[in-house]
Amino acid sequence: MARDFGLELDWLTDAAWRYISDSIWEPLAPPTPAAAGVLETAADALVETLSAIARRQHEHRETTAARLTAVANTGLLPAELHEMAVYYRAKAERDIGRSAASRQGMQLVADGGGRLAPAARRGRAHLARLAGDFPTARTLGWEGRHHRVEGDVWWLQGDMDRAAAAYEADRNEAEQHGVTGERAHGQAHRAFALAFTDPALADDEIDLAQQLLAGLDLRATVFITRIAALLRDAGRDDADIDDRAQVLRADIRTAGLTYAELALDLALAFHHAVRAAHDDLTDTIARLRENTRSGDYAYYSDIAHFMAALPLESASAARWTDGEPATRQRWHALVTTRQAGVRTGR
């Protein structure tokens, strides 16, 4: 109504902040204005901003970035809502591999000191993790979701118990704060970490993640839960892993979530390593290397080598938290433990 009748934003500013803080992403589908795509007022820009943020669960993230760039370029929004558009554009740019642009946007929001500054600092830490700088990534408190950052770092070191505990703490703290989306996110990642180590326990954790996701519109988190289900079944000949992965890859590409496809390939590398399927593992490593040429997530191919006790073709650029040998040993131990479990039917 504010858009259609040229009204001031007034209380809509606070309402917009409440909408994004819930992280539920209930669909916003306002009627198309007579001059579709034309942004002339602050209300026009706010409608487009919130629509783009919500629709990113259904559109390619490149579309999200383009829509939010168009909003930011108008200069129509007050400073605090302009920050919202810049922050979510930076998130979308990170998802499609535009790390330099994402880093610039996160820095701009962090320097502004507004409501999203803590989230932007977390975004910068996340970008450090993408580059393999794990010590730098471990820096944040509740407002930056410290426990989630810890979990994101520890699972990459192959320390799944520590990662699962961090994600559980993230889930519980989110529940205390009434942040429904973060609660589901923490649980999905807990299931993902445990799927490497304990298929039986992971089964229950995946079920809980699916329950917490019911009624929410968090596509990336749904993908993590589906990848967790693949990891739970890794190594089994009767699990149709390749067919399930092909369907999941198509869904991920439709969403434009680069990092989710890399996580899928890492799960496939684990499956192939458990089965000692060397040709399949070689193909997966080659795909990981090709898709991480920018430098972000380059350590994924290192991890795939660690799983199968293969030497690296070149020195790892990652700064592992307690050194490469310990990280290599943990990842390979996950594979040998799963191999023993598959042999005994556990």
Side-chain angles (χ1 to χ4, degrees), residues 118-119 121-129 133-157 162-163 166-167 170 182 185 321:
R121 288 192 289 272
R122 177 171 59 85
R124 288 166 54 202
H126 187 52
L127 287 160
R129 180 174 63 83
D133 187 357
F134 302 118
T136 297
R138 299 177 58 206
T139 57
L140 304 173
W142 156 250
E143 287 186 310
R145 292 166 184 165
H146 174 73
H147 293 302
R148 191 212 287 189
V149 173
E150 289 283 323
D152 288 347
V153 169
W154 287 120
W155 83 261
L156 290 165
Q157 315 309 304
R162 204 165 181 175
Y167 286 131
D170 177 59
E182 182 64 25
H185 186 90
T321 57

Side-chain angles (χ1 to χ4, degrees), residues 56-62 96 219 223 250-257:
R56 79 191 199 283
Q57 304 297 333
H58 305 280
E59 295 177 337
H60 196 286
R61 295 298 163 93
E62 192 166 326
I96 56 179
R219 188 157 51 161
F223 290 152
D251 291 343
I252 289 171
R253 286 181 174 176
T254 298
L257 293 171

Side-chain angles (χ1 to χ4, degrees), residues 35-243:
V38 177
L39 304 179
E40 296 180 339
T41 68
D44 288 338
L46 180 57
V47 168
E48 178 65 5
T49 298
L50 294 181
S51 177
I53 291 171
R55 286 293 302 170
R56 79 191 199 283
Q57 304 297 333
H58 305 280
E59 295 177 337
H60 196 286
R61 295 298 163 93
E62 192 166 326
T63 301
T64 304
R67 292 179 69 181
L68 292 174
T69 294
V71 170
N73 288 345
T74 66
L76 291 169
L77 289 174
E80 60 178 328
L81 292 178
H82 176 79
E83 167 191 312
M84 183 188 294
V86 171
Y87 172 74
Y88 280 97
R89 178 180 64 185
K91 287 191 68 172
E93 287 169 334
R94 182 189 67 203
D95 291 343
I96 56 179
R98 298 176 186 169
S99 295
S102 179
R103 191 172 290 108
Q104 183 179 14
M106 291 295 183
Q107 186 69 56
L108 183 66
V109 175
D111 290 346
R115 299 196 209 194
L116 285 172
R121 288 192 289 272
R122 177 171 59 85
R124 288 166 54 202
H126 187 52
L127 287 160
R129 180 174 63 83
L130 267 58
D133 187 357
F134 302 118
T136 297
R138 299 177 58 206
T139 57
L140 304 173
W142 156 250
E143 287 186 310
R145 292 166 184 165
H146 174 73
H147 293 302
R148 191 212 287 189
V149 173
E150 289 283 323
D152 288 347
V153 169
W154 287 120
W155 83 261
L156 290 165
Q157 315 309 304
D159 195 337
M160 300 306 171
D161 290 339
R162 204 165 181 175
Y167 286 131
E168 183 177 30
D170 177 59
R171 181 199 69 198
N172 292 341
E173 197 163 35
E175 186 166 17
Q176 292 169 10
H177 287 77
V179 185
T180 307
E182 182 64 25
R183 180 182 64 167
H185 186 90
Q187 177 57 33
H189 281 76
R190 173 174 165 80
F192 174 85
L194 290 173
F196 280 102
T197 62
D198 190 333
L201 178 58
D203 200 40
D204 292 335
E205 299 293 338
I206 290 167
D207 284 345
L208 178 56
Q210 291 170 337
Q211 291 173 31
L212 296 181
L213 281 165
L216 304 183
D217 205 355
L218 296 170
R219 188 157 51 161
T221 308
V222 169
F223 290 152
I224 290 298
T225 306
R226 291 171 64 184
I227 294 170
L230 290 180
L231 285 166
R232 174 197 61 197
D233 299 335
R236 290 171 39 194
D237 291 329
D238 62 344
D240 298 324
I241 296 289
D242 291 336
D243 290 342

Side-chain angles (χ1 to χ4, degrees), residues 9-23 25 28 45-47 49-51 53 77 80-81 84 88 115-116:
L9 293 181
D10 194 31
W11 61 270
L12 290 175
T13 296
D14 287 337
W17 284 110
R18 177 174 291 275
Y19 173 71
I20 68 163
S21 70
D22 287 339
S23 297
W25 313 123
L28 287 176
L46 180 57
V47 168
T49 298
L50 294 181
S51 177
I53 291 171
L77 289 174
E80 60 178 328
L81 292 178
M84 183 188 294
Y88 280 97
R115 299 196 209 194
L116 285 172

